[in-house]
Amino acid sequence: MSTRVDENGVIVEIGDTGPGMPKEVQARAFEPFYTTKDVGKGTGLGLDISRRIIVERHGGEITIESRPDETVLRVRLPLRATTTP
Ligand SMILES: Nc1ncnc2c1ncn2[C@@H]1O[C@H](COP(=O)(O)OP(=O)(O)OP(=O)(O)O)[C@@H](O)[C@H]1O
Ligand SMILES: [Mg+2]
């Protein structure tokens, strides 16, 4: 994980060395209830909730960069809050 600041805001990157996300999974990853996990294992809500908090609530951005042995989720949050507490 790394954190930094640039002219556009605060950037947090969270990476892992798991199986990666094929393009078709990346394209649907933020859909509510979309999961590739076994029945009863994943809700498919993790990234939907993250997107709602980061993008809709805070006006930020969340992007995926992934290849077969590495996935990085990059979160950008604006420095100036656009929402009330
Ligand atoms: N770090 C990751 N590496 C590989 N695939 C991922 C990663 N994060 C998400 N995915 C893919 O995106 C899908 C949707 O992710 P999301 O977090 O919304 O739900 P989930 O992980 O399946 O369920 P839950 O978050 O409830 O455990 C996952 O099922 C998986 O296919
Ligand atoms: Mg998840």
Side-chain angles (χ1 to χ4, degrees), residues 52-61 76-78 82-83:
R52 279 190 279 156
I53 294 170
I54 294 159
V55 180
E56 294 181 15
R57 174 74 180 160
H58 295 290
E61 196 173 59
R76 187 183 57 74
L77 289 169
T82 53
T83 55

Side-chain angles (χ1 to χ4, degrees), residues 53-70:
I53 294 170
I54 294 159
V55 180
E56 294 181 15
R57 174 74 180 160
H58 295 290
E61 196 173 59
I62 178 168
T63 55
I64 300 169
E65 256 176 46
S66 187
R67 52 188 176 144
D69 55 358
E70 187 179 21

